[in-house]
Amino acid sequence: MNILTELWQQRWLFLTFVRREVTSRYSGTIAGGLWALGQPVLLLMIYGFVFRKVFKVGFPELGEHSFVAFVACALWPWMAFQEGVQRATHAVVGNSGLVKKVHFPHELLVFASIGATFFIHFVGFMVVICALAIAGEPFRFSGLPVVLMGWLALLLLASAIALVTASFQVFLKDIDHMLGPALMIMFYVTPILYPTTQVPESVRWIVAFNPLVHLLEPIRAGLMHGNLAAFGQLSLFIIGGAGAVFAAVLLFRRLSDYFEDFI
Amino acid sequence: MSGNPVEAPLISLSGIGKSYPIANSAAGRIRTLYSLLRRQPFAERYDALTDISLEVRRGESLGLIGMNGAGKSTLLKIIAGVVKPTAGALQLRGRISALLELGAGFHPEYTGRQNVFLATALMGLSERETRERLDDILAFADIGEHVDQPIKHYSSGMIVRLGFAVATTVSPDILITDEVLAVGDESFQRKCIAWMENYLSSGGTLLLCAHSMFHIQKLCQKAAWIHDGRLQAYGDSHRVTREYLAWHDSKSTPKAQDHAMAISSGTYALLSMSLNGFPSQEGVTVPVGASLRIGGRVFSPDGRVPTALVGFVRKDGMPIYGVSSEMDGHVLARVGAQEYEFEFEVPELSLLPGEYRVKGHALDPEGYRLFDELIGELTVIGESRELGVCRLPHRWNAI
């Protein structure tokens, strides 16, 4: 509880950090926030072209939906997760001036970095989903509660992971190099470009170990079919995620006392 | 007992120690990470501070002195909360503002205004509280329309000005500074000093880490001498600085003075000093009770009247007497656009026979910042059976 009250007292600092993250990412660019949308949209177009036009991929799960809409539902949450973890891993090291000279809870840097990334991509997600819906994609907005829960669980998961990687990164610079390939593999083993049902039965149990499966699939099912079945499962993930973040903060704090010496 | 209950100290350290792991190799870093996670003591460690106990009360400023690497900055960082001690107990009361490095929290890509909001948020101010203070901060920093440009286009002086303006906006109970008095341009330094004087006279408490004994004596009631991570001496600032200087001089590393550099960097400088008409570097020999005239020429970069300080020390560094023109209200004679002269006379030198040094210093007009130093050897000769260093006016009264 101590940690929670302390973090609550620092809410102004947190908001300032987040605002700084969001504005700085696109300051000096002409297109500004459009870049946040541009990169995933470009990826989406490439995937659409390669898989739909070249490979002629199709599966029954698509139903009345387009392949682009199918990928879009999972691509933005994935981008938020991947970019959030990657950026937040550098949050402590990248703010060495602050860490060495000013007293404040260092985990705020990680939370702010994750928060800013999720904010940007969540906005992008909403824009793209709305744009597709206007273009005639039959999304079911009744699935919105599950979609939001999926995002929240994803945010907690990314925060817990990033707290560990960001604190380890101060001591071992290898973390950063390991993270790139690890996230790339994760992208392909997570059902973003394909549904879980397309995975061969024999290895499907391995896929079940990937927590992202249990978060991205409900988001997609919620939007595409208005399926709210994952409500209970996501609730558990949110509770578990909150616990994981709490544990990660405790671990982070064991290391953060020595950041200023190693950074 | 007086009626007033004694106020608890603002800062109270007891048995504070700090050790760092030694991790030079990759394996060492992994071992360190492992022992941190397991909360085990480090296999190899370096003790930066050992068993430091001291107290700072309201209005009782403390100066930290010691060699580079003695642990002064680590101690300041512990009190500022940047470093967690590994041993001992630390109690803090009141609002602490730390100027460990002016503009430390600033980000080069953001404008001055955005950085002000970040820096004040780091001090715990809400956005509304910052808005209320923004005009004052910007007025103090006086950086004009630059405030809406990214900090990376600022000169270092402008960053420092903004940093000082932000750090002092909250009127802290304790202000921690790490040698930041001598920053910024001339006019801003005067502003800082004026602020500091006002702060101290209105009951503020300063925790200062400085290499200038002069500042410590002028600004602090107490001083702590840290040597090799331990508290070597602690108490009255004059006594502690004296002990430190004596120890320092006994190690005797004569400092080469580079006047050309002082002048080119635009600071006050003592161009030359004479003892009874001879250049100070030749030294002078004077009989007991004779007169001693000390003359000097002082360079003033901005043409304002500088302050001259003359001091007598024993050969082992113990100060005997020092006085400045500012203390006596004497105004140096102007001899050029940027040059001033003084002559200081001791009609009857009451120093006992022995070896002494005469020190001349150039200071700013306010008599705060010491810029330059010339030393001349003074030998006092004569017959005397008296004890000590100097003869006091006295008489034996008939009863």
Side-chain angles (χ1 to χ4, degrees), chain A residues 82-102:
Chain A
Q82 180 210 19
E83 209 185 301
V85 170
Q86 238 165 355
R87 282 184 188 268
T89 300
H90 289 275
V92 175
V93 179
N95 283 289
S96 55
L98 276 182
V99 171
K100 278 173 119 73
K101 298 284 179 185
V102 188

Side-chain angles (χ1 to χ4, degrees), chain A residues 65-118:
Chain A
H65 293 276
S66 66
F67 178 76
V68 165
F70 173 85
V71 173
C73 290
L75 186 63
W76 263 264
W78 163 261
M79 290 292 283
F81 175 82
Q82 180 210 19
E83 209 185 301
V85 170
Q86 238 165 355
R87 282 184 188 268
T89 300
H90 289 275
V92 175
V93 179
N95 283 289
S96 55
L98 276 182
V99 171
K100 278 173 119 73
K101 298 284 179 185
V102 188
H103 166 65
F104 69 101
H106 300 142
E107 56 268 24
L108 284 183
L109 292 171
V110 176
F111 286 133
S113 182
I114 291 265
T117 311
F118 268 72

Side-chain angles (χ1 to χ4, degrees), chain B residues 28 109 128 160 164 173 200 207-208 302 305:
Chain B
E109 293 291 331
R128 191 173 49 83
V160 156
F164 192 89
D173 294 307
L200 289 175
L207 191 56
L208 179 74
D302 55 3
V305 188

Side-chain angles (χ1 to χ4, degrees), chain B residues 43-125:
Chain B
E44 287 178 280
R45 66 200 174 97
Y46 155 73
D47 291 318
L49 287 175
T50 315
D51 195 25
I52 305 279
S53 300
L54 44 85
E55 279 185 354
V56 176
R57 291 178 183 280
R58 190 177 295 279
E60 196 185 74
S61 296
L62 174 72
L64 298 181
I65 53 180
M67 309 264 290
N68 284 330
K72 304 185 299 276
S73 294
T74 309
L75 186 56
L76 279 193
K77 282 181 169 183
I78 285 179
I79 296 170
V82 181
V83 172
K84 280 240 173 70
T86 27
L90 165 70
Q91 275 187 309
L92 300 172
R93 292 171 62 252
R95 188 194 274 275
I96 294 184
S97 205
L99 298 183
L100 292 177
E101 190 180 290
L102 287 173
F106 289 171
H107 192 288
E109 293 291 331
Y110 301 114
T111 68
R113 196 185 298 270
Q114 287 169 329
N115 270 303
V116 167
F117 277 94
L118 176 68
T120 52
L122 279 165
M123 296 192 297
L125 296 189

Side-chain angles (χ1 to χ4, degrees), chain B residues 134-295:
Chain B
L134 193 60
D135 288 342
D136 289 343
I137 295 173
L138 296 183
F140 193 94
D142 191 23
I143 51 173
E145 70 262 34
H146 293 291
V147 68
D148 286 314
Q149 283 177 14
I151 292 258
K152 64 181 173 189
H153 299 310
Y154 283 29
S155 68
S156 59
M158 282 158 64
I159 293 177
V160 156
R161 266 145 61 182
L162 196 60
F164 192 89
V166 168
T168 53
T169 185
V170 290
S171 62
D173 294 307
I174 306 164
L175 183 71
I176 300 180
T177 82
D178 191 356
E179 294 256 36
V180 287
L181 282 171
V183 291
D185 60 7
E186 193 55 39
S187 72
F188 191 72
Q189 288 191 7
R190 282 205 291 281
K191 225 165 164 180
C192 293
I193 284 167
W195 184 90
M196 201 72 82
E197 278 201 317
N198 180 41
Y199 171 71
L200 289 175
S201 64
S202 60
T205 308
L206 192 64
L207 191 56
L208 179 74
C209 179
H211 288 110
S212 148
M213 296 306 119
F214 183 72
H215 286 141
I216 302 267
Q217 292 183 351
K218 189 141 185 165
L219 296 169
C220 305
Q221 285 77 46
K222 283 194 169 180
W225 170 14
I226 313 282
H227 186 63
D228 281 345
R230 287 171 187 278
L231 200 55
Q232 185 85 7
Y234 171 53
D236 174 72
S237 64
H238 284 84
R239 180 176 65 81
V240 175
T241 48
R242 219 159 41 226
E243 284 175 29
Y244 175 70
L245 284 177
W247 172 83
H248 205 266
D249 279 14
S250 72
K251 296 206 325 156
S252 172
T253 38
K255 216 177 358 170
Q257 293 292 323
D258 195 346
H259 297 282
M261 209 176 79
I263 293 169
S264 70
S265 70
T267 59
Y268 297 92
L270 187 56
L271 300 173
S272 65
M273 184 167 77
S274 67
L275 302 173
N276 278 349
F278 297 102
S280 62
Q281 56 267 32
E282 290 178 14
V284 70
T285 303
V286 181
V288 181
S291 84
L292 176 66
R293 278 175 294 109
I294 301 166

Side-chain angles (χ1 to χ4, degrees), chain A residues 1-18 103-112 156 159-160 163 242-253 256, chain B residues 84 121-122 124-125:
Chain A
M1 282 303 114
N2 229 342
I3 290 179
L4 291 183
T5 49
E6 197 187 324
L7 289 180
W8 174 246
Q9 282 165 0
Q10 301 283 354
R11 62 193 182 279
W12 292 112
L13 185 55
F14 172 74
L15 287 176
T16 313
F17 275 142
V18 173
H103 166 65
F104 69 101
H106 300 142
E107 56 268 24
L108 284 183
L109 292 171
V110 176
F111 286 133
L156 293 170
S159 304
L163 281 167
V245 169
F246 192 77
V249 169
L250 292 180
L251 180 138
F252 185 91
R253 290 208 161 178
S256 71
Chain B
K84 280 240 173 70
L122 279 165
L125 296 189

Side-chain angles (χ1 to χ4, degrees), chain A residues 22-40:
Chain A
V22 173
T23 54
S24 79
R25 234 170 256 188
Y26 306 106
S27 74
T29 62
I30 297 165
L34 283 179
W35 284 114
L37 202 57
Q39 199 198 348

